[in-house]
């Protein structure tokens, strides 16, 4: 366990210094701030607009940070041969994977924290009180990013950064469109390929499970246990991906 | 040392030349950037359900973007002295003031339904002049398709329903679309008192159907947060009192229920007109 935290701390220190991340973070905070101006064009819907923009910015830029940094995490160590320093030590490869993952998650968490504070400050300026009802939405954004990071790490364990980025983005798109597969099977129960579609639906991550942005902004009632179920889903799915990544790295020859 | 100076001088010259080219081309291109051009922005948008899938989970953000687009689009096309495009619109459409009254064929109801008119404002000359004077009739033809996309993307976004169902309707006379939008809103948000309230308003004021209006008002009364004036109005309507008083009570209700300054301003103008005549 200590090895995991040491690697995580190291990864966090490494990634927190990445200039790409600061550019993205600055842009995200800027977008949250600019929503104050855009909101004034919305005919008294400024509060809703600011919250929608803020949550969307958090999600999009959090994902960008996760993808840009996550795809290089393991690949970079392999290219620079710095991975040898880790594999020659008495630590397992799954500990390396978990450590890298935890380190990147800490980085993402730090970024989301900064964006959350920005959003709540802007919200305080407009509404004169802080809407803590946004926090469940932000929590699920974090878990969505966690899942995407796990995919990015998985791809980066066996392919180049460019291809990892493309595949991760495709997974993101497919994840948001996957509920359409289930809907199709429900609307066309007689369709011969329904079993295949349902299998694909089960395998693909359903990222809509984490999408409660509209509900938290408009204070809509959610079905009970939505948030806990989504959190457990995210943890379990990420766990499977991390196990797969560990297995790939275990078999991989770094020469 | 001399070489460095030449290099810096060359770079400065290049910047000056590029700056000059930018200035000239910008002026040439700005010639085409006229207010008339801004009015011609065509809107090619897929259906709301397609947009919903295309938004990849960011439905609220896309709805907000389309909402701002709708507001800006309507603001540019409405007949209003505050509209900086007003002179262009006036010239383009050869406007001279009163655009006339809502013809029966635009009511969106069947002939059989329209015979139910028992609260016909259009028979009262002064009320007709106020409520059926659609200054922006024929303008902003894409406003309702835009608003429909907004509400398909975010069905719980209430303001577009009210904007389209009330404000745009009172300006353009597009009753059929207004009713459709409000009914859509009521179906998605059955717990909001505002939507049946405004449906009752349209049924009463523009369709003259007090029975339908009363039915909607009764539904509005039952919703959480319905203000007391909704119940008062349903009582008044059921007693079928003086038309003008009902009109004033209704308008005061709308005025008190909304925080939208544009709607409040419009209602105040109508109330002042009523007081004058």
């Amino acid at each position: 366990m200590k090895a995991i935290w040491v690697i995580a701390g190291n990864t966090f220190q490494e990634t927190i210094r990445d200039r790409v991340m600061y550019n993205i973070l600055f842009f995200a905070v800027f977008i949250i701030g600019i929503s104050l101006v855009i909101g004034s064009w919305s005919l008294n819907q400024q509060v809703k607009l600011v919250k929608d923009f803020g949550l969307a910015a958090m999600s999009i830029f959090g994902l960008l940070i996760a993808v840009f940094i996550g795809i290089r995490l393991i690949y970079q160590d392999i290219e620079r041969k710095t991975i040898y320093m880790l594999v020659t030590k008495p630590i397992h490869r799954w500990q390396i994977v978990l450590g890298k993952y935890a380190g990147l998650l800490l980085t993402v968490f730090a970024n989301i924290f900064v964006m959350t504070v920005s959003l709540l400050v802007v919200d305080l300026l407009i509404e004169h009180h802080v809407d803590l009802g946004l926090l469940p939405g932000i929590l699920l954004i974090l878990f969505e990013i966690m899942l995407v990071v796990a995919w990015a790490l998985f791809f980066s364990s066996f392919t180049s950064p460019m291809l990892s980025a493309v595949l991760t983005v495709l997974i993101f798109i497919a994840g948001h469109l996957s509920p359409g597969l289930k809907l199709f099977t429900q609307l066309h129960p007689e369709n011969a390929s329904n079993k295949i579609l349902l299998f694909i639906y089960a395998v693909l991550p359903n990222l809509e499970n984490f999408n409660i942005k509209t509900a938290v902004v408009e204070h809509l009632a959610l079905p009970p246990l939505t948030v806990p179920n989504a959190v457990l889903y995210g943890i379990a799915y990420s766990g499977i991906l991390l196990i797969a990544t560990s297995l790939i790295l275990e078999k991989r020859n770094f020469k | 040392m001399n070489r460095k100076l030449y290099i810096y001088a060359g770079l400065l010259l290049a910047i000056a030349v590029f700056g000059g080219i930018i200035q000239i081309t910008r002026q040439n291109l700005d010639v085409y950037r006229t207010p008339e051009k801004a009015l011609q922005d065509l809107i090619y948008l897929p259906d709301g359900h397609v947009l919903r899938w295309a938004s990849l989970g960011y439905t609220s953000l896309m709805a907000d973007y389309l909402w701002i687009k709708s507001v800006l689009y309507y603001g540019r096309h409405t007949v209003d002295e505050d509209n900086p495009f007003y002179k262009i619109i006036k010239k383009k459409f050869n406007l001279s003031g009163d655009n006339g009254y809502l013809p029966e064929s635009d009511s969106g109801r069947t002939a059989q339904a329209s015979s139910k008119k028992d609260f016909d404002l259009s028979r009262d000359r002064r009320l007709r002049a106020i409520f059926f004077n659609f200054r922006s009739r024929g303008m902003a033809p894409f406003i309702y398709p835009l608003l429909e996309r907004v509400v398909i993307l975010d069905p719980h976004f209430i303001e577009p329903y009210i904007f389209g169902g009330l404000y745009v309707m009172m300006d353009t006379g597009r009753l059929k679309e207004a009713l459709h939008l409000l009914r859509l809103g009521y179906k998605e948000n059955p717990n909001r008192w505002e939507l049946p309230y405004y449906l009752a308003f349209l049924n009463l004021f523009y369709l003259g159907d007090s029975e339908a209006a009363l039915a909607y008002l009764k539904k509005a009364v039952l919703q959480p947060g319905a203000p007391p004036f909704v119940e008062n109005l349903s009582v008044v309507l059921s007693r079928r009192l003086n038309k003008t008083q009902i009109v004033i009570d209704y308008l005061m209700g709308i005025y008190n229920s909304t925080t939208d300054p544009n709607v409040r301003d419009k209602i105040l103008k109508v109330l002042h007109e009523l007081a004058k005549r």
Side-chain angles (χ1 to χ4, degrees), chain B residues 204-219:
Chain B
L204 185 65
F205 281 45
Y206 293 96
L207 291 173
D209 191 346
S210 58
E211 235 176 77
L214 189 59
Y216 277 121
L217 273 178
K218 283 180 178 170
K219 285 176 188 165

Side-chain angles (χ1 to χ4, degrees), chain A residues 27-159:
Chain A
F27 200 59
V29 172
F30 174 74
I31 289 288
I32 291 170
I34 213 85
S35 63
L36 273 171
V37 173
I38 296 168
S40 63
W41 302 339
S42 62
L43 272 189
N44 298 322
Q45 298 304 301
Q46 197 177 29
V47 170
K48 180 190 183 306
L49 225 91
V50 162
K51 289 178 187 174
D52 282 338
F53 265 70
L55 290 176
M58 248 188 257
S59 174
I60 293 168
F61 292 113
L63 284 163
L64 280 175
I65 291 170
V67 169
F68 275 116
I69 298 176
I71 55 172
R72 293 179 301 162
L73 218 51
I74 291 178
Y75 182 83
Q76 215 168 47
D77 279 348
I78 296 170
E79 278 301 297
R80 289 180 190 169
K81 313 287 184 202
T82 50
I83 193 101
Y84 294 137
M85 285 168 52
L86 287 170
V87 299
T88 50
K89 298 264 186 303
I91 49 174
H92 298 283
R93 294 194 184 183
W94 63 266
Q95 286 174 308
I96 298 171
V97 170
L98 269 183
K100 292 281 179 191
Y101 183 67
L104 184 51
L105 276 191
L106 278 171
T107 308
V108 168
F109 180 77
N111 282 288
I112 295 290
F113 180 76
V114 170
M115 290 190 238
T116 304
V117 167
S118 312
L119 178 60
L120 294 179
V121 163
V122 169
D123 186 36
L124 182 67
L125 286 171
I126 306 172
E127 277 192 296
H128 308 293
H129 76 269
V130 172
D131 184 2
L132 295 174
L134 295 174
L135 294 178
I138 295 171
L139 179 70
L140 289 193
I141 287 173
L142 194 59
F143 275 86
E144 183 185 3
I145 295 173
M146 189 173 105
L147 189 47
V148 174
V149 166
W151 273 107
L153 209 64
F154 171 73
F155 289 128
S156 76
S157 66
F158 61 87
T159 185

